[in-house]
Amino acid sequence: MTTPSKTIGFIGAGNMAQSIIGGLINQGWCPDRIIATAPSESTRQEVGNRFGIRTSGHNSDACHADIVCVCVKPALVKPVLTHLTPILAETQPLLISVAAGISMSCLESWGDDSLAIVRSMPNTPSLLGFGATGLFANNKVSDRQKAEVESIFNAVGISEWVDEEALIDAVIAVSGSGPAYYFLFMETMKAMGSQLGLAPEVAERLTLQTALGAAKMASEANLDVAELRRRVCSPGGTTEQAVRTFQEGGLDGLVKEAMDAAVQRAKAMAVELGK
């Protein structure tokens, strides 16, 4: 865990910020070492009461922390950081961005190019402590700071570093957007279960528990997922027939096309948001 004496400031106190704050506190981070800012007084009051942390309506107050986590919507990153550039240049925190589509060059330009900066790509299961986060650092981030960043995001799941910034787009396609792929598949399974005669609530419970069990097996078994699939597919059985239908229907190509579309959209967003 990161040194207890470290302070961390969150610019923005929405769902993602709150999930990280909650994870840090659960991992032993002292609430009095955390500050979060938000324009809404009701949000500040809610977050302060929930976590026992300091809150402020002024983003500059968060910039005096050792680590500053920018948790605002992507379209707000530029105005927020450019307004804070002078104080960030003075305080020199480790800056972490959780905004999708905001490139490192933009973060360095808007924040201050002398800063140690990390781009992060967490996903929505972080809200439950089961997140997967991709990380990319500029060349000013030390090994010690990388360990600190890992401890922050490991408090809400797992984290993985990528060596090239372009690979953040691959992270978006795999884990950033990935939960929606599984939701869609579960949605379809639930609907088909109902069409096959199951009560809707029964189809839903069976679908969700099956997805949970499959993910649990895949994460805990010392086996590749392809091997797990083969072990479920008894020769000539029902599962083999269903899986063959997926494969013959072009599932592999469809998944590739979908993930390529996510990557291309991520690249387009970077251009749009970097203007």
Side-chain angles (χ1 to χ4, degrees):
M1 191 66 196
T2 302
T3 307
S5 62
K6 291 287 183 180
T7 55
I8 182 166
F10 289 85
I11 297 177
N15 288 335
M16 187 58 68
Q18 289 185 43
S19 70
I20 298 172
I21 292 168
L24 290 174
I25 292 173
N26 288 338
Q27 293 292 318
W29 199 302
C30 295
D32 62 5
R33 309 298 294 177
I34 302 172
I35 181 173
T37 67
S40 166
E41 182 178 353
S42 61
T43 298
R44 296 195 300 271
Q45 189 170 45
E46 175 191 348
V47 172
N49 291 338
R50 178 181 176 188
F51 299 110
I53 65 172
R54 294 178 295 147
T55 63
S56 172
H58 304 285
N59 291 334
S60 57
D61 290 340
C63 296
H64 294 281
D66 300 303
I67 302 168
V68 174
C69 195
V70 182
C71 296
V72 298
K73 294 183 183 299
L76 296 177
V77 174
K78 182 176 183 179
V80 165
L81 285 183
T82 52
H83 179 72
L84 297 172
T85 298
I87 190 169
L88 289 170
E90 178 184 349
T91 58
Q92 290 290 302
L94 168 61
L95 188 70
I96 302 172
S97 168
V98 302
I102 304 297
S103 69
M104 181 64 75
S105 62
C106 286
L107 294 170
E108 291 174 338
S109 174
W110 302 338
D112 188 79
D113 59 11
S114 66
L115 295 176
I117 302 176
V118 171
R119 276 191 68 185
S120 70
M121 186 61 238
N123 64 3
T124 52
S126 298
L127 301 173
L128 301 176
F130 289 93
T133 302
L135 302 167
F136 174 75
N138 70 2
N139 57 15
K140 297 178 177 64
V141 179
S142 68
D143 289 341
R144 175 184 57 79
Q145 289 173 319
K146 284 187 176 182
E148 292 172 349
V149 174
E150 287 175 17
S151 73
I152 291 170
F153 289 100
N154 288 350
V156 291
I158 66 167
S159 60
E160 296 287 347
W161 290 97
V162 296
D163 296 326
E164 301 174 23
E165 185 175 9
L167 291 176
I168 286 289
D169 292 340
V171 171
I172 292 172
V174 173
S175 57
S177 300
Y181 312 159
Y182 291 102
F183 296 152
L184 177 60
F185 197 78
M186 287 186 279
E187 181 184 353
T188 304
M189 284 184 63
K190 172 189 168 185
M192 287 307 304
S194 295
Q195 289 186 32
L196 290 170
L198 294 174
E201 63 273 15
V202 172
E204 180 174 27
R205 285 197 298 269
L206 290 175
T207 296
L208 298 183
Q209 185 66 20
T210 300
L212 178 63
K216 192 77 170 172
M217 287 183 69
S219 63
E220 296 186 359
N222 191 26
L223 293 169
D224 184 77
V225 289
E227 177 60 24
L228 288 173
R229 171 181 55 79
R230 284 190 288 269
R231 292 190 178 195
V232 180
C233 293
S234 301
T238 59
T239 309
E240 181 186 62
Q241 186 60 49
V243 169
R244 181 180 296 141
T245 302
F246 281 131
Q247 293 172 328
E248 292 176 352
L251 179 63
D252 290 355
L254 187 59
V255 171
K256 179 183 184 301
E257 185 178 344
M259 294 178 70
D260 282 344
V263 168
Q264 295 308 313
R265 180 54 189 151
K267 291 179 178 179
M269 285 177 61
V271 174
E272 294 167 7
L273 294 168
K275 294 178 180 179

